[in-house]
């Protein structure tokens, strides 16, 4: 349940949850344009029903999974996470969703799989941003298998107990709270288990600025700005706060990176 | 061409300088109104920061256009040049103040790091520093004290400050966007026109 989840993954500095207006009117979703307000203005054009997710690659049960079928076999719960954008702002968001591992276990991950690749829908007639080559569509993201199986890794289906608004990645999006927001890929239509590190959109666009891991790390600057602190979105007097290692979720995830130099593998 | 602007010249002769100051602060007043009526979205600080920077650039380019406008169009707005320059500095300075106080919130360690390490901030600061002595000497007492030749040489710093401001704008946006590039192009044209007598 919600209360259990909140207690289980409590992190520092999550006091005030952002309003629904904050969360639904300030978005990066380049499929609908590059402005923060574009997704709220244009995402209504997206058809989210029917929706299927293709699960393929190194799995025992590959196939096209209907969204209703996916949701009937997972436990939906509330997770209040801080969302830290690579642009150095953050929000606190009450997601509804299920742990990604539940879906992966159902698909039957084979022992040779090491990574999970995700893809967003390509439908330029409904997603007008895809008519310009800002990114190499479809939007792609990926996680190492242990990251994907971590209990914090959520497939979100809602916000504030309601269905996910289109601008937030309806009907199904990833939420990886210890990584920069662009890792949390929206409107997912394909999940592929693979043994090689998948290509990811922002890393393809600018590998110097955006690494595959993109763990929130106040000590590794973005080449154009510092990541040491962040502005919490919410009004004129939005406070700036120190950014925490792994966005504050270190006690749940730091072990996965114990042997890595996180300034080299950023 | 010059005849077209004759009536305009006589009209502007009747417009007092204080009216230009008054009109010039209207965009600022409008921002404040939008802020208090909640029209700046969920991140008003960024909206204000960007708007002030843009207004600063518009006035800087306006100031730079006055001499070519007189030379090539016969449009004489010279008596408003100081007002336009002072207004441009007002917007650039408030843009910087919003960054320092509301955005980075006086975290001096990070501010200093940003100025030294982030090229777009370094360039923005250089532009501000080049404008500062011009704003401080924008009064008749300074012209008298420096002598008009030295004062005019000092104010050639605008030729450095204005293009730097446009470069700062180009570097802050994502990718190569057309609008900031057009502003830099316009500035370079205005500077180039000064070569002709």
């Amino acid at each position: 349940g919600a209360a259990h989840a909140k207690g289980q993954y409590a992190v520092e500095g999550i006091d005030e949850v952002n309003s629904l207006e904050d969360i639904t009117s300030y978005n990066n979703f380049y499929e609908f344009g590059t402005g923060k307000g574009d997704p709220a203005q244009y995402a209504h054009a997206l058809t989210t029903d029917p929706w299927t997710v293709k699960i393929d690659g190194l799995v025992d049960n590959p196939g096209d999974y209907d969204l209703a079928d996916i949701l009937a076999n997972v436990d939906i719960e509330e997770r209040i996470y801080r969302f830290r954008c690579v642009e150095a702002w953050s929000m606190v968001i009450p997601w509804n969703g299920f742990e990604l591992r539940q879906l992966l276990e159902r698909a039957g991950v084979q022992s040779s799989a090491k990574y999970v690749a995700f893809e967003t829908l390509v439908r330029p007639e409904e997603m007008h941003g895809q008519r310009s080559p800002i990114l190499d569509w479809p939007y792609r993201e990926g996680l190492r298998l242990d990251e994907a199986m971590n209990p914090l890794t959520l497939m979100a289906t809602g916000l504030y107990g309601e269905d996910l608004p289109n601008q937030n990645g309806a009907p199904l999006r990833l939420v990886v709270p210890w990584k920069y927001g662009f890792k949390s890929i929206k409107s997912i239509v394909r999940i592929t288990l693979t043994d090689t590190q998948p290509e990811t959109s922002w890393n393809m666009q600018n590998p110097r600025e955006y690494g595959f891991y993109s763990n929130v790390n106040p000590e590794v600057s973005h080449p154009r700005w510092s990541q040491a602190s962040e502005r919490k979105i919410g009004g004129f007097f939005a406070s700036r706060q120190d950014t925490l290692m792994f966005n504050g979720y270190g006690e749940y995830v730091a072990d996965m990176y114990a042997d890595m130099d996180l300034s080299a593998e950023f | 061409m010059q005849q077209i602007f004759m009536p305009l010249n006589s009209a502007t002769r009747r417009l007092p300088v204080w009216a230009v100051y008054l009109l010039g602060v209207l965009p600022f007043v409008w921002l404040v109104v939008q802020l208090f009526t909640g029209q700046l979205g969920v991140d008003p600080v960024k909206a204000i920061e960007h708007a002030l920077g843009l207004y600063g650039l518009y006035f800087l380019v306006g100031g730079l256009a006055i001499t070519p406008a007189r030379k090539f169009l016969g449009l004489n707005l010279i008596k408003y040049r100081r007002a336009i320059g002072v207004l441009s500095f007002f917007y650039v300075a408030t843009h910087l103040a919003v960054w320092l106080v509301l955005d980075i919130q006086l975290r001096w360690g990070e501010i200093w790091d940003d100025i030294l390490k982030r090229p777009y901030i370094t360039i923005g600061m250089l532009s501000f520093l080049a404008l500062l002595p011009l704003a401080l000497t924008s009064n008749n007492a300074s012209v008298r004290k420096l002598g008009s030749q030295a004062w005019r040489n000092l104010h050639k710093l605008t030729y450095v400050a204005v293009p730097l401001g446009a470069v700062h704008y180009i570097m802050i946006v994502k990718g190569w966007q057309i609008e900031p590039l057009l502003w830099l192009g316009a500035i370079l044209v205005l500077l180039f026109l000064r070569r002709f007598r």
Side-chain angles (χ1 to χ4, degrees), chain A residues 81-221:
Chain A
Y81 284 152
R82 176 169 42 230
F83 183 93
R84 170 61 160 82
C85 180
V86 74
E87 296 165 344
W89 53 264
S90 67
M91 292 194 198
V92 177
I93 303 180
W95 301 105
N96 308 99
F98 59 91
E99 291 176 4
L100 172 62
R101 63 178 174 176
Q102 293 185 356
L103 180 59
L104 295 181
E105 279 161 10
R106 185 176 166 206
V109 178
Q110 294 176 356
S111 57
S112 52
K114 294 195 181 73
Y115 294 92
V116 187
F118 304 87
E119 281 181 20
T120 295
L121 179 72
V122 179
R123 196 181 283 164
E125 62 275 20
E126 292 182 5
M127 305 170 106
H128 75 91
Q130 289 181 333
R131 291 173 213 162
S132 28
I134 313 160
L135 291 170
D136 184 2
W137 313 111
Y139 194 89
R140 279 163 264 210
E141 260 308 334
L143 296 172
R144 219 168 54 189
L145 187 59
D146 58 336
E147 298 174 325
M149 299 299 274
N150 188 289
L152 263 68
T153 303
L154 195 73
M155 288 293 259
T157 56
L159 261 181
Y160 271 106
E162 303 285 336
D163 282 349
L164 205 56
N166 285 4
Q167 62 265 40
N168 294 87
L172 190 67
R173 70 169 291 169
L174 189 66
V175 178
V176 196
W178 71 94
K179 292 178 180 284
Y180 293 122
F182 67 86
K183 293 293 289 181
S184 294
I185 181 171
K186 300 186 181 84
S187 304
I188 296 168
V189 291
R190 187 176 180 195
I191 300 174
T192 307
L193 277 289
T194 145
D195 56 2
T196 48
Q197 184 176 301
E199 300 235 271
T200 58
S201 288
W202 281 104
N203 180 249
M204 291 159 73
Q205 206 256 4
N206 194 337
R208 201 174 71 90
E209 296 193 350
Y210 308 100
F212 173 78
Y213 286 96
S214 287
N215 293 315
V216 174
N217 188 340
E219 281 147 39
V220 175
S221 290

Side-chain angles (χ1 to χ4, degrees), chain B residues 85-108:
Chain B
V86 169
L87 283 163
S88 74
F89 185 77
F90 167 74
Y91 284 105
V92 170
T94 50
H95 167 70
L96 175 62
V98 166
W99 178 63
L100 288 173
V101 178
L102 296 173
D103 186 344
I104 201 98
Q105 298 180 9
L106 303 180
R107 290 170 168 245
W108 293 106

